[in-house]
């Protein structure tokens, strides 16, 4: 019985660490998979998707998306399509004007931050709908 108890203790601790790492801390990285799964569920046919990591977005959504770098705020104002924005920690550095514009003009759909000890990997999904004026509004996401 002692040998079985010791064996279970030796197995249980690493298994608990794995569960914490993969299930609750997303492998200590940004939660791109969940962000794009949410968009795939809510996205309409003509909606656009803009992100700082276009290759990841293209992979998870299996369609073409747009990079936040190189976009201008004036161009976004002219778009007639609903537009999804996936904002991570790098968005402020890579596209500060777009980041600020999104905060002022789009709706926060989901907060998918990953918290690991003293570090937070921020991940936010926003929706801009040119047919509505949202400024500062949020909608509830059950994710």
């Amino acid at each position: 019985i002692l040998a079985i108890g010791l064996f279970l203790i030796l197995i249980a601790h690493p298994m608990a660490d794995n569960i914490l790492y993969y299930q609750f801390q997303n492998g200590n990285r940004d939660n791109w998979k969940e962000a794009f799964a949410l968009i795939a569920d809510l996205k309409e046919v003509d909606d656009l998707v803009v992100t700082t990591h276009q290759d990841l977005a293209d992979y998870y959504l299996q369609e073409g998306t747009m990079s936040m770098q190189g976009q201008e705020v004036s161009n976004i104002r002219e778009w007639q399509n609903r537009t999804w924005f996936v904002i991570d920690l790098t968005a402020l550095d890579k596209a500060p004007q777009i980041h600020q514009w999104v905060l002022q003009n789009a709706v926060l759909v989901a907060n998918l931050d990953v918290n690991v000890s003293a570090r937070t990997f921020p991940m936010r999904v926003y929706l801009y709908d040119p047919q509505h004026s949202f400024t500062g509004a949020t909608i509830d996401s059950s994710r």
Side-chain angles (χ1 to χ4, degrees):
I1 292 176
L2 182 59
I4 292 172
L6 183 58
F7 177 73
L8 289 176
I9 289 173
L10 291 174
I11 296 295
H13 183 68
M15 287 179 61
D17 286 346
N18 283 344
I19 290 169
L20 180 64
Y21 181 79
Y22 289 109
Q23 296 297 320
F24 298 102
Q25 296 174 342
N26 197 48
N28 293 349
R29 60 184 175 271
D30 297 322
N31 199 353
W32 293 103
K33 185 175 184 179
E34 182 75 15
F36 293 119
L38 173 67
I39 291 173
D41 288 345
L42 301 175
K43 185 177 177 298
E44 295 176 3
V45 175
D46 294 332
D47 288 1
L48 303 173
V49 178
V50 179
T51 181
T52 53
H53 295 282
Q54 186 177 6
D55 293 338
L56 279 172
D58 292 350
Y59 172 77
Y60 282 118
L61 293 173
Q62 295 297 300
E63 62 182 70
T65 61
M66 301 171 72
S67 174
M68 196 175 286
Q69 297 92 320
Q71 299 297 329
E72 295 182 19
V73 173
S74 59
N75 291 345
I76 295 173
R77 289 187 181 126
E78 297 170 7
W79 296 347
Q80 298 301 310
N81 302 64
R82 289 182 354 147
T83 306
W84 295 90
F85 291 90
V86 180
I87 305 290
D88 69 332
L89 182 62
T90 66
L92 186 57
D93 292 332
K94 291 182 177 179
Q97 288 182 323
I98 301 291
H99 182 263
Q100 188 62 34
W101 186 89
V102 168
L103 295 178
Q104 293 174 352
N105 295 283
V107 172
L108 176 63
V109 175
N111 178 342
L112 303 169
D113 293 356
V114 174
N115 297 301
V116 179
S117 299
R119 172 122 194 242
T120 298
F121 296 91
M123 178 67 56
R124 309 283 164 76
V125 177
Y126 291 88
L127 174 62
Y128 168 69
D129 188 342
Q131 305 303 319
H132 300 92
S133 176
F134 291 122
T135 309
T138 60
I139 62 176
D140 183 29
S141 172
S142 58
R143 289 194 171 253

